[in-house]
């Protein structure tokens, strides 16, 4: 039996036993909704759905609709003719249809719809005669020509709109509805003329040809640039495809007893439980949204057509009760009769999502667990960052767009270096700055912290600027040079973005949630913490099975994270503590030391700083676990680069400039990411591990004594690829730690674990687990090394990979579950086999990405660790994963 590619709206519900998921997968969201409403006996213009599988088939057949499916389409048109008593292609009694796209998930405005299909030069006359309403008939025809030309032939909209405007001017009228039948007839002539000029042929008169053309255009629109961008943003797989709905027209443009509208069962901006909507009399399709005339609020319908209003309210209520969620509906009224054209779970702001979830629980409609599934984790972001004022943003026009690297909104005066940022913000007039850099580096941290937002020309979503900004909860747009024309001149202190020149001190606004860049100031509003949020997150926390920790390496971030619900620190990077002005000198002396003695002397200067840092961190974290990772980056990152700095350092160290220059040169690496870094540093210089252990244990002892609660330090050795390497460093740590603990005469336990971030570590995890108390998957490096491309450079060529659909998303943002995920799964399994008590977590950027968090839950990790502002997102994502697929509890 060949596959069934078409379903009547009447068939949809029974064919899939009313299973909503399958119905959406096969019929698309719109098709599923139309089938359900039909099943429920609601007034729906009849029609049929061509499945998403037919879309896949269309692409498999090299973008052609094969003969079998074509034949089916006409067979179903035949059924529709019987149902409606009209004939497709007839002159006297033409059946007109809409051809509508509809993917599994709604993609508003991304794909295209064609209305009034089936009209031609004769049928329009027939329709005029039959309805005795030539104005209406010609309005349908001119709309059809417009939409067909735009959607199917891709001629654009503007030529047609210009003609309508010109016609209105000639006639001295303001609104489309004031144009007469003759005017519209004339417009049809002009439109057909445009079509002939642009297309080089006559407007197609054969309805069958029109229909196949339209269906193809909808399938094709699945792959249009707009849809591709939207899909990538929303993680909608390309392979899903879109369904096509062919539906008899209901005419909202047939007079003053007709109209079209949209409505929500609750307010999508605030969540308030009150029907909200708008409609336009004597209008069709998108007229309401397009702002052609000002629509009336739905409450007015109560006065204008009370029976229609009552019927609509009754249907809306039934739909909401049936789907147990806020509905977004489209309807049309034809000569006083209501038709439902669409229903779906409505999109809503984060604030509304929380309000609706809480209300539905209170109304007894859904359980707390179902409520937890109703809010998109990513959406929580918008609650936690300052946002641009919606009206101000609407009025502003973006001058360019980079990557939406860290959400929130920033408005400030442009500065071009971290030092300038630090300096300028002390001045009242400069309090708000936006830091603009080619890219940022670790020494820019302080400057980044004082900035409202960060804009970089280079780099991707996991570039330094992006990662650090997310950690700080600072808005960041990265890599704006990837797709825009950007020139930055540090000397002149200017940046030009697509021809817009900014000098130092000029105002710039950037939107880290969209990547948009604006000239001038856009007002921001503070985000508020609301009671619904706390209540909702309580339900999420009750449901989740993984712990959520944070990546933080300073007291401010740590406190922030705890406030956002972090249960500990999964990654405390010690090197970030090395850059502050007062200690970088000692660090540099350590690196440039020529003998072990010199190095120890220098380390002795660094140690008190580290100890003070850890003490401060422990004081905030209390007995929450804190995983401290030992020095990780290549040493040369800390070296002076400016001649005057080199000179000064040489003097301090009793070297000549030349000698020091030689040291600097000798530290140069061709590929530092794969060079002398991570635990390799401790293998060559065990003194570093000794110093760091001293600092950790002393701090832990001190704070334990203060609070009376014994801390268990978690020490993490980075970049291990071989068990003996871990053992070697571990021995240094154990010896140092045990001595200090014995001296203190207390019973302090500590754990030593490792990052799994080199593929070889994952492959030999069974052995490594013998020496490790825990594994933390460092998925940034693990992704980089598994794919073999650098996370700082990948942004440059990944665009081409998205365009060609080789990859659908950035593997540094969404964990590659197939490849990297396989390594994680294997390492978790092998590690636990050797060491059943092995702790397992993830501390890469993926720890805050909902789909990656779900993966971590499913492979049995104990925790995820992410940047502070992503903690709520991870909490919710972990809860949703647990509700969808609860795992057996460990005891
Ligand atoms: P989108 O997915 O962009 O919302 P739709 O397929 O819903 O596109 O079509 C847009 C609008 O066209 C609908 O809101 C409705 O007003 C109008 N429309 C679509 N099909 C019909 C129909 N059969 N009868 C009347 N109007 C229709
Ligand atoms: Mg719609
Ligand atoms: Mg790493």
């Amino acid at each position: 039996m060949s596959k069934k590619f078409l379903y009547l709206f009447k068939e949809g519900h029974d064919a899939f036993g009313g299973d909503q998921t399958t119905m959406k997968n096969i019929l698309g969201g719109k098709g599923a909704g139309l089938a359900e409403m039909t099943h429920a006996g609601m007034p729906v213009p009849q029609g049929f759905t061509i499945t998403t599988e037919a879309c896949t088939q269309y692409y498999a057949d090299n973008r052609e609709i094969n003969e079998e499916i074509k034949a089916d389409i006409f067979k179903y048109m035949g059924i529709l003719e019987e149902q409606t008593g009209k004939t497709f292609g007839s002159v006297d009694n033409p059946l007109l249809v809409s051809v509508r796209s509809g993917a599994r998930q709604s993609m508003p405005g991304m794909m295209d719809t064609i209305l009034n299909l089936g009209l031609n030069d004769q049928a329009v006359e027939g329709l005029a005669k039959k309805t005795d309403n030539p104005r209406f008939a010609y309005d349908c025809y001119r709309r059809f020509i417009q939409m067909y030309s735009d959607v199917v032939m891709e001629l654009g909209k503007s030529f047609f709109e210009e003609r309508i405007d010109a016609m209105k001017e000639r006639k001295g009228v303001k609104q489309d509805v004031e144009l007469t039948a003759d005017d519209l007839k004339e417009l049809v002539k002009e439109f057909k003329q445009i079509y002939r000029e642009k297309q080089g042929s006559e407007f197609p008169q054969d309805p069958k040809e029109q229909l196949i053309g339209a269906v193809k255009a909808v399938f094709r629109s699945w792959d249009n640039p707009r849809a591709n961008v939207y899909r990538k943003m929303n993680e909608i797989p390309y392979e899903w495809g879109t369904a096509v709905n062919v539906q008899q027209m209901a005419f909202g443009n047939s007079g003053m007893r007709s109209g079209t509208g949209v409505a929500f069962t609750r307010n999508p901006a605030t969540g308030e439980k009150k029907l909200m909507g708008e409609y336009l009399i004597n209008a069709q399709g998108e007229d309401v949204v397009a702002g052609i005339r000002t629509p009336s609020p739905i409450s007015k319908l109560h006065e204008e057509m009370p029976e229609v209003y009552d019927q609509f309210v009754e249907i809306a209520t039934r739909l909401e009760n049936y789907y147990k969620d806020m509905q977004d509906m489209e309807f049309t009224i034809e000569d006083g009769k209501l038709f439902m054209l669409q229903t779906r779970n409505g999109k809503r702001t984060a604030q509304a999502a929380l309000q609706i979830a809480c209300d539905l629980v209170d109304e007894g409609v859904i359980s707390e667990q179902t409520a937890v599934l109703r809010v998109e984790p990513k959406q929580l972001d918008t609650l936690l960052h300052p946002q641009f004022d919606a009206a101000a943003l609407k009025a502003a026009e973006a001058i360019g767009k980079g990557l939406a690297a860290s959400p929130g909104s920033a408005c400030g005066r442009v500065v071009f270096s971290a030092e300038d940022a630090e300096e300028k913000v002390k001045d009242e007039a400069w309090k708000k700055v936006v830091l603009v850099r080619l890219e940022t580096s670790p020494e820019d941290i302080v400057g980044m912290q004082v900035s409202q937002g960060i804009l970089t020309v280079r780099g991707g979503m996991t570039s330094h600027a992006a990662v650090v900004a997310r950690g700080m909860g600072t808005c960041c747009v990265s890599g704006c040079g990837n797709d825009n024309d950007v020139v930055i001149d540090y000397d002149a202190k200017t940046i030009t973005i697509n021809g817009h020149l900014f000098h130092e001190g000029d105002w710039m606004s950037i939107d880290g949630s969209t990547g948009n860049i604006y000239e001038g100031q856009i007002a921001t509003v503070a985000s508020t913490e609301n009671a619904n949020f706390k209540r909702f997150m309580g339900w999420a926390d009750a449901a989740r099975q993984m712990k959520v920790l944070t990546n933080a390496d300073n007291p401010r971030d740590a406190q922030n994270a705890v406030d956002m619900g972090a249960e500990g620190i999964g990654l405390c990077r010690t090197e970030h503590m090395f850059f502050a002005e007062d200690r970088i000198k000692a660090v540099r002396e350590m690196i440039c030391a020529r003998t072990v003695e010199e190095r120890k002397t220098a380390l002795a200067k660094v140690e008190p700083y580290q100890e003070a840092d850890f003490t401060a961190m422990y004081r905030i974290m209390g007995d929450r676990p804190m995983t401290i990772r030992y020095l990780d980056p290549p040493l040369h990152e800390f070296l002076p680069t400016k001649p005057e700095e080199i000179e000064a350092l040489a003097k301090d160290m009793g070297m000549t400039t030349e000698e020091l220059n030689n040291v600097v040169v000798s530290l140069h690496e061709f590929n530092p990411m794969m060079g002398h870094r991570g635990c390799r540093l401790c293998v060559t210089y065990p003194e570093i591990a000794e110093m760091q252990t001293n600092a950790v244990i002393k701090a832990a002892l001190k704070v334990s004594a203060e609070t009376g609660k014994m801390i268990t330090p978690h020490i993490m050795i980075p970049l291990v690829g071989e068990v003996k390497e871990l053992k070697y460093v571990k021995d240094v740590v154990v010896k140092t730690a045990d001595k200090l603990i014995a001296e203190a005469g207390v019973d302090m336990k500590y754990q030593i674990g490792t990052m799994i971030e080199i593929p070889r570590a994952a492959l030999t995890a069974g052995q490594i687990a013998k020496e490790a108390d825990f594994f933390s998957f460092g998925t940034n490096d693990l992704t980089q090394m598994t794919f073999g491309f650098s996370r700082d450079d990948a942004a440059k060529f990944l665009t081409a990979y998205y365009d060609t659909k080789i990859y659908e998303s950035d593997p540094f943002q969404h964990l590659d579950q197939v490849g990297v995920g396989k390594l994680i799964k294997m390492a978790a399994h092998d590690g636990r086999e050797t060491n059943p008590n092995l702790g397992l977590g993830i501390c890469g950027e993926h720890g805050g990405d909902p789909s990656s968090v779900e993966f971590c839950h499913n492979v049995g990790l104990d925790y995820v660790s992410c940047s502070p502002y992503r903690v709520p997102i991870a909490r919710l994502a972990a809860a949703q994963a647990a509700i969808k697929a609860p795992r057996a509890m460990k005891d």
Side-chain angles (χ1 to χ4, degrees):
M1 203 186 76
S2 66
K3 205 171 205 162
K4 187 167 161 67
F5 285 116
L6 281 81
Y7 291 86
L8 294 170
F9 295 164
K10 279 187 172 171
E11 294 177 307
H13 176 90
D14 289 343
F16 301 99
D19 179 68
Q20 288 308 303
T21 310
T22 320
M23 283 175 75
K24 276 189 191 158
N25 291 352
I26 306 284
L27 304 175
K30 198 178 287 166
L34 289 165
E36 281 305 294
M37 289 195 290
T38 301
H39 177 74
M42 293 172 184
V44 176
Q46 282 308 290
F48 57 88
T49 304
I50 311 171
T51 66
T52 56
E53 293 173 331
C55 181
T56 310
Q57 189 62 45
Y58 159 86
Y59 282 101
D61 291 336
N62 287 318
R63 301 183 180 233
E64 278 302 332
I65 299 177
N66 68 38
E67 292 307 321
E68 252 171 88
I69 297 181
K70 267 188 203 162
D72 273 349
I73 292 176
F74 292 121
K75 187 176 127 199
Y76 275 68
M77 282 306 285
I79 304 176
L80 200 56
E81 287 177 332
E82 277 168 35
Q83 286 178 351
T84 59
K86 298 184 178 183
T87 309
F88 190 54
S90 114
V91 172
D92 306 329
N93 187 19
L95 169 62
L96 303 191
V97 294
S98 63
V99 176
R100 319 170 64 188
S101 64
R104 281 192 206 184
Q105 263 181 39
S106 84
M107 297 168 56
M110 289 306 125
M111 290 176 302
D112 298 307
T113 296
I114 298 152
L115 304 179
N116 311 320
L117 186 140
L119 278 177
N120 56 25
D121 294 350
Q122 281 83 46
V124 70
E125 286 296 336
L127 187 65
K129 209 183 273 163
K130 179 159 191 292
T131 55
D132 196 19
N133 192 347
R135 188 198 178 277
F136 154 69
Y138 278 96
D139 186 49
C140 287
Y141 198 27
R142 69 93 189 162
R143 287 171 186 271
F144 172 52
I145 299 174
Q146 243 175 304
M147 281 186 262
Y148 195 88
S149 304
D150 176 31
V151 176
V152 181
M153 306 322 273
E154 300 181 316
L155 301 181
K157 297 186 174 83
S158 55
F159 303 113
F160 300 101
E161 278 160 7
E162 281 163 19
R163 292 303 170 95
I164 299 177
D165 290 343
M167 174 67 78
K168 285 195 283 195
E169 194 149 319
R170 276 207 302 280
K171 298 287 163 177
V173 300
K174 285 232 152 50
Q175 298 185 334
D176 295 2
V177 274
E178 297 171 89
L179 294 174
T180 63
D182 285 339
D183 299 339
L184 292 167
K185 204 168 178 174
E186 178 59 30
L187 269 180
V188 163
K189 232 189 241 163
E190 292 183 19
F191 282 10
K192 284 183 8 198
Q193 172 72 23
I194 297 177
Y195 186 93
R196 195 177 308 124
E197 276 165 21
K198 303 278 166 209
Q199 192 57 32
S201 61
E202 292 297 325
F203 187 79
Q205 296 290 309
D206 174 6
K208 287 190 172 177
E209 180 193 337
Q210 295 171 354
L211 180 60
I212 296 299
V215 174
K216 262 197 203 174
V218 173
F219 283 154
R220 185 180 66 205
S221 73
W222 178 249
D223 196 25
N224 75 25
R226 257 184 313 160
N228 281 327
V229 168
Y230 184 90
R231 247 196 322 274
K232 203 167 143 253
M233 249 166 53
N234 292 281
E235 294 171 57
I236 298 175
Y238 180 67
E239 63 184 39
W240 280 4
T242 180
V244 182
N245 299 288
V246 178
Q247 182 178 28
Q248 184 191 4
M249 284 303 299
F251 298 107
N253 57 335
S254 66
M256 299 311 283
R257 297 269 308 149
S258 302
T260 179
V262 295
F264 296 87
T265 53
R266 299 178 192 230
N267 185 318
T270 64
E272 188 196 358
K273 188 180 181 185
K274 191 173 164 218
L275 187 68
M276 207 195 96
E278 293 177 328
Y279 71 100
L280 263 183
I281 288 295
N282 200 7
Q284 191 179 56
E286 310 279 58
D287 289 2
V288 184
V289 221
I292 289 180
R293 278 175 281 150
T294 310
S296 311
I298 191 93
S299 51
K300 183 117 188 285
L301 191 63
H302 191 34
E303 301 157 28
E304 287 196 330
M305 298 184 203
E307 330 77 62
V308 173
Y309 178 82
D310 289 346
Q311 189 192 0
F312 181 72
V313 170
E314 187 255 342
I315 288 176
T317 313
R318 268 172 71 199
L319 284 172
E320 188 181 279
N321 289 342
Y322 180 74
Y323 289 106
K324 301 186 195 307
D325 200 356
M326 183 262 271
Q327 294 299 296
D328 167 359
M329 300 153 298
E330 295 172 5
F331 62 93
T332 280
I333 304 161
E334 180 180 334
D335 297 329
K337 183 168 168 16
L338 175 69
F339 290 99
M340 295 301 296
L341 294 176
Q342 191 170 339
T343 190
R344 63 173 168 228
N345 296 340
K347 295 209 184 297
R348 60 204 80 178
T349 64
Q351 192 199 343
L354 292 175
Q355 185 68 51
I356 292 169
C358 289
D359 285 350
L360 288 174
V361 167
D362 292 338
E363 290 160 26
V365 176
I366 58 174
S367 68
E368 291 171 1
Q369 291 220 336
T370 304
V372 168
L373 294 175
R374 286 289 172 78
V375 179
E376 270 215 49
K378 264 202 307 205
Q379 268 201 310
L380 294 180
D381 243 12
T382 58
L383 291 173
L384 306 169
H385 299 275
Q387 292 297 309
F388 282 130
D389 179 61
L393 190 63
K394 213 171 164 193
E397 197 174 327
I399 57 147
K401 192 177 172 83
L403 299 167
S406 177
S409 314
C411 169
R413 304 178 69 175
V414 171
V415 293
F416 290 93
S417 77
E419 297 90 75
D420 287 348
E422 271 181 79
E423 218 27 63
K424 297 285 186 192
V425 291
K426 294 175 189 157
D427 181 346
E428 191 56 32
W430 279 81
K431 242 172 75 190
K432 293 181 167 187
V433 299
V434 169
L435 175 61
V436 176
R437 299 286 300 163
L438 214 44
E439 54 204 351
T440 61
S441 62
E443 59 260 69
D444 296 339
I445 297 270
V446 184
M448 293 169 77
Q449 244 165 12
V450 300
S451 301
Q452 300 294 310
I454 297 150
L455 175 71
T456 69
V457 178
R458 294 193 197 134
M461 295 293 289
T462 53
S463 62
H464 178 267
V467 173
V468 172
R470 281 199 291 274
M472 300 190 303
T474 299
C475 155
C476 173
V477 172
S478 67
C480 71
N482 294 343
D483 290 325
N484 302 277
D485 202 6
V486 176
V487 182
I488 186 166
D489 183 341
Y490 281 145
D491 294 330
K493 299 200 175 180
T494 59
I495 184 168
T496 312
I497 304 170
N498 297 330
H500 298 262
L501 174 67
F502 294 84
H503 288 98
E504 184 181 61
D506 287 347
W507 286 88
M508 177 189 279
S509 299
I510 57 176
D511 187 337
S513 311
T514 59
N516 282 336
I517 307 161
Y518 303 88
E519 266 176 337
Q521 304 184 51
I522 302 178
T524 56
V525 288
S527 55
T528 46
E529 243 214 81
N530 65 29
N532 288 336
F533 177 74
K534 294 200 172 120
R535 189 171 173 222
F536 177 84
M537 290 309 287
W539 299 334
D541 288 340
R544 83 187 141 85
Q545 295 176 295
M546 279 194 298
K547 280 200 183 317
V548 175
L549 313 183
T550 192
N551 302 347
D553 45 46
N554 61 66
R556 193 189 89 139
D557 287 358
Q559 186 60 57
N560 250 337
V562 168
D563 294 344
M564 306 246 195
E567 296 164 285
I569 291 179
L571 174 64
C572 174
R573 302 173 166 100
T574 48
E575 60 270 12
H576 285 182
M577 303 168 161
F578 281 17
F579 282 103
E581 215 174 320
D582 47 352
R583 51 189 84 170
I584 185 76
K585 223 182 99 212
V587 174
R588 286 173 175 165
E589 285 180 27
M590 182 265 283
I591 295 167
C592 298
R594 286 155 297 188
T595 63
V596 177
E597 272 56 52
E598 270 184 18
R599 185 168 305 108
K600 286 196 167 165
T601 313
L603 282 166
K605 293 186 197 166
V606 181
E607 190 184 306
Y609 291 124
Q610 284 255 287
E611 187 187 326
D613 289 330
F614 296 141
T615 305
M617 296 289 282
Y618 276 130
R619 282 190 182 134
I620 286 177
M621 297 314 288
D623 50 5
R624 296 183 188 90
M626 170 159 82
T627 308
I628 297 173
R629 180 183 70 183
Y630 280 14
L631 195 62
D632 185 49
L635 293 181
H636 69 80
E637 277 195 13
F638 303 96
L639 284 177
T641 48
K642 297 186 191 127
E644 60 272 20
E645 284 175 339
I646 296 183
E647 209 169 303
L649 182 66
K651 208 154 154 208
D652 281 348
M653 295 189 64
M655 292 192 222
T656 65
T657 314
E658 205 191 344
E659 275 175 309
L660 183 59
N661 260 327
N662 286 340
V663 176
V664 173
V665 169
S666 73
L667 282 168
H668 169 80
E669 292 180 309
F670 287 101
N671 192 346
M673 270 294 177
M674 300 175 100
H676 193 193
R677 57 175 285 223
C679 66
R680 295 160 202 162
L681 294 170
C682 296
V683 172
T684 41
Y685 306 130
E687 311 79 73
I688 298 179
E690 256 169 52
M691 180 279 283
Q692 294 205 286
T693 308
N694 276 330
V696 172
I697 302 293
K698 283 182 191 170
L701 286 168
K702 188 194 275 168
V703 178
S704 300
E706 281 170 16
T707 61
K709 278 194 205 150
M710 194 56 76
I711 290 169
T712 303
H714 288 62
I715 291 167
M716 181 152 77
I717 313 298
L719 223 70
V720 163
E722 154 62 42
V723 63
K724 285 186 214 145
E725 192 181 29
L726 173 61
K727 175 83 166 68
Y728 181 88
V729 181
K730 183 178 165 183
D731 285 346
V732 175
V733 176
V734 169
K735 206 169 124 207
T736 314
D738 285 356
K739 182 157 169 274
L740 288 172
I741 294 169
E743 278 168 14
V746 295
D747 180 23
M748 174 177 277
K749 306 258 185 300
Y750 57 91
Q751 293 203 354
I752 301 178
T754 180
M755 309 255 307
I756 301 288
E757 52 188 336
I758 289 184
R760 192 176 189 280
L763 294 165
T764 61
Q767 294 172 22
I768 293 177
K770 285 189 196 132
E771 297 296 339
D773 296 314
F774 63 86
F775 284 172
S776 177
F777 292 96
T779 48
N780 296 346
D781 268 313
L782 189 58
T783 299
Q784 167 165 270
M785 302 213 219
T786 302
F787 278 86
F789 50 61
S790 146
R791 60 173 128 147
D792 296 312
D793 298 323
K796 287 186 202 138
F797 54 79
L798 275 179
T799 330
Y801 277 71
Y802 305 144
D803 291 347
T804 49
K805 318 240 164 39
I806 295 175
Y807 296 138
E808 288 197 43
S809 65
D810 181 349
F812 292 105
Q813 267 186 74
H814 306 303
L815 188 73
D816 158 44
Q817 302 187 4
V818 179
V820 178
K822 190 168 183 179
L823 286 173
I824 294 176
K825 221 164 148 175
M826 182 175 74
H829 172 269
D830 294 356
R832 280 228 172 105
E833 206 164 60
T834 335
N835 176 1
N837 294 322
L838 187 72
L840 291 173
I842 179 180
C843 65
E845 279 296 299
H846 301 99
D849 168 61
S851 62
S852 310
V853 170
E854 181 173 9
F855 175 84
C856 293
H857 169 87
N858 291 336
V859 298
L861 300 197
D862 300 308
Y863 69 85
V864 297
S865 185
C866 57
S867 37
Y869 280 87
R870 285 193 173 184
V871 164
I873 298 175
R875 282 159 70 198
L876 179 53
Q880 295 186 342
I883 292 169
K884 285 188 217 159
R887 37 184 224 214
M889 292 301 279
K890 277 200 305 179
D891 33 33

